[in-house]
Amino acid sequence: LLEAMSCGTPMVVGDLPGIRAVLEGVIPTAIVATRDAEALAAALRRTLEMAPDERARLGATLRDLAVRTADYESNMLRMETYYRELAAGRS
């Protein structure tokens, strides 16, 4: 998922809590119930039939989201902050 996002590639994903939390506001129509073949087919059709400019805008949004939320250095700095706050609260 993160690889597709970082490449700016629209995708269709299963409705799992972690995925929904990240993508619900970005591509809600591409989140499909697991084991629902008809919903999957419809979402794939919608994604494949996107106009080039729409695909490009969504791709740019997905890439930006991946860079902002999944960048290694940013995540490690965020985790360090959480650990320091946790340690300060327990001292």
Side-chain angles (χ1 to χ4, degrees):
L1 178 64
L2 285 174
E3 289 178 12
M5 290 172 64
S6 65
C7 291
T9 303
M11 76 287 289
V12 174
V13 296
D15 190 4
L16 301 170
I19 292 173
R20 178 169 286 286
V22 172
L23 295 178
E24 186 169 34
V26 180
I27 53 170
T29 60
I31 300 172
V32 298
T34 58
R35 301 182 187 198
D36 186 341
E38 289 181 23
L40 174 61
L44 286 170
R45 241 185 327 276
R46 282 192 303 273
T47 302
L48 292 171
E49 293 172 353
M50 292 173 86
D53 60 325
E54 183 182 7
R55 180 183 298 274
R57 278 193 308 275
L58 177 57
T61 299
L62 290 167
R63 176 160 171 56
D64 179 62
L65 180 61
V67 168
R68 283 186 294 113
T69 62
D71 173 69
Y72 178 81
E73 187 171 339
S74 297
N75 277 313
M76 291 302 103
L77 290 172
R78 186 178 307 127
M79 290 306 300
E80 181 179 355
T81 299
Y82 294 153
Y83 287 138
R84 289 185 184 280
E85 289 171 359
L86 181 63
R90 292 193 176 180
S91 48

